[in-house]
Amino acid sequence: MMLSRQAPVRRGHPVRRLVALILFTLGAGCALPAAAQTTFDVIGPHEYDLPVDFQPFNVFVQYAYVQRNNRSFDSSGDRVKGSGSDAIVGLSKYVRFWTPDFNRKIGLAWEVIVPEISLRNDRNNTQASGIGDPMTGFAVWYKPRTDLTLGFQSFLQIPAGSTDVSDRNWKNLSSAFWDWRLTDKLGWTADAGFVFQGKRTDRLLPGTVFHTNHRLGYRVSPLLEPFLALDYERSRDTATVNGGHALDAGAGMMFHTFDNQSISLRYSKSISGENHSANNSINIKYAYVW
């Protein structure tokens, strides 16, 4: 349940827009807690496969990805040379789950998310690292039937991270989510929502971002669940920033290692885009329940 690394592009001459895109990707673009390029793309299979009528429990999740920023999309949708930076991003999340006594058919959760970010560019010998802007928020869901979960989540991202990796603006991420167990082995988990942003300290005003993320997994054994991933986001134009979009596809494997633990691995790559950095990342998710 994370954020976008889309690079806002200043309006103006195409060359200036491209330079702004590269500089943003190298600098503040990794100030976001979590996605290898597109909003919430760190989710895995069963991300929203949630119970109702349960005793309170806790979850710790560690997301991480390694991203090579060697390509990006220009205003014509063509792939061009990227900043050349390498990003290593971690995202530590604690979640408290409970069912309210007034309605045992509803589930609730509160989350605290802290990103850890490192950016390095060997082309110009620059490096930036630190704690990114933290996020906190809630989720609520219900199950109209045993194989279907429907819910809503909303998070506030606070501009309190390290100076080198924070873009210093407030954000709200709100989305609907669902999980549908199509058969006893096949499952679809997904979300769709918006990111609302305030003006940054450099006076850029990023546009509202729409995003949707989908995971289709098939459990071939008690241990293994291969899955396909599709992620999309589109941002609106503003007076200071050009809008953009990106469509990413990926494939991965979820390992159901223990009853209370799992590990997911995924490779993701951009298919198309415009005014947006190109995804080329390896993603890891580890979840522990107690």
Side-chain angles (χ1 to χ4, degrees), residues 31-111:
L32 313 168
Q37 303 303 333
T38 54
T39 304
F40 278 26
D41 80 339
V42 295
I43 69 168
H46 302 274
E47 190 85 16
Y48 307 121
D49 185 8
L50 301 169
V52 292
D53 193 12
F54 57 89
Q55 294 299 313
F57 65 94
N58 307 285
V59 175
F60 172 78
V61 183
Q62 181 65 54
Y63 303 94
Y65 72 81
V66 179
Q67 160 72 15
R68 182 77 186 276
N69 293 308
N70 56 343
R71 307 292 287 176
S72 63
F73 296 104
D74 64 12
S75 58
S76 299
D78 296 324
R79 291 179 185 265
V80 297
K81 189 176 182 180
S83 68
S85 64
D86 295 317
I88 301 175
V89 178
L91 184 68
S92 301
K93 178 172 74 172
Y94 168 75
V95 192
R96 177 66 172 177
F97 290 87
W98 74 96
T99 294
D101 291 334
F102 63 84
N103 190 339
R104 303 295 294 180
K105 296 182 179 180
I106 294 176
L108 296 172
W110 192 269
E111 305 185 19

Side-chain angles (χ1 to χ4, degrees), residues 49-239:
D49 185 8
L50 301 169
V52 292
D53 193 12
F54 57 89
Q55 294 299 313
F57 65 94
N58 307 285
V59 175
F60 172 78
V61 183
Q62 181 65 54
Y63 303 94
Y65 72 81
V66 179
Q67 160 72 15
R68 182 77 186 276
N69 293 308
N70 56 343
R71 307 292 287 176
S72 63
F73 296 104
D74 64 12
S75 58
S76 299
D78 296 324
R79 291 179 185 265
V80 297
K81 189 176 182 180
S83 68
S85 64
D86 295 317
I88 301 175
V89 178
L91 184 68
S92 301
K93 178 172 74 172
Y94 168 75
V95 192
R96 177 66 172 177
F97 290 87
W98 74 96
T99 294
D101 291 334
F102 63 84
N103 190 339
R104 303 295 294 180
K105 296 182 179 180
I106 294 176
L108 296 172
W110 192 269
E111 305 185 19
V112 177
I113 304 166
V114 179
E116 308 90 20
I117 300 166
S118 176
L119 264 178
R120 183 180 64 184
N121 193 321
D122 292 334
R123 290 181 187 174
N124 51 18
N125 294 319
T126 58
Q127 183 171 350
S129 61
I131 300 299
D133 294 340
M135 287 175 55
T136 187
F138 72 93
V140 57
W141 64 91
Y142 76 105
K143 298 178 82 72
R145 57 180 197 247
T146 57
D147 61 348
L148 181 63
T149 303
L150 301 175
F152 175 80
Q153 57 190 356
S154 186
F155 302 93
L156 180 67
Q157 188 174 19
I158 304 166
S162 303
T163 302
D164 289 344
V165 294
S166 172
D167 56 3
R168 298 301 180 193
N169 70 325
W170 293 82
K171 303 179 184 71
N172 172 259
L173 299 85
S174 295
S175 59
F177 62 83
W178 60 94
D179 182 275
W180 187 7
R181 298 294 100 192
L182 301 167
T183 70
D184 59 342
K185 294 184 178 181
L186 182 65
W188 173 36
T189 193
D191 59 51
F194 295 89
V195 181
F196 306 96
Q197 306 186 56
K199 183 176 291 186
R200 291 170 28 178
T201 55
D202 58 8
R203 298 186 179 182
L204 282 180
L205 177 61
T208 298
V209 178
F210 166 77
H211 72 91
T212 185
N213 314 88
H214 301 264
R215 303 292 179 264
L216 186 67
Y218 187 82
R219 194 159 180 174
V220 297
S221 74
L223 174 63
L224 301 177
E225 184 171 352
F227 65 94
L228 299 175
L230 192 68
D231 302 285
Y232 176 79
E233 74 173 13
R234 176 176 289 274
S235 63
R236 297 181 59 184
D237 287 340
T238 70

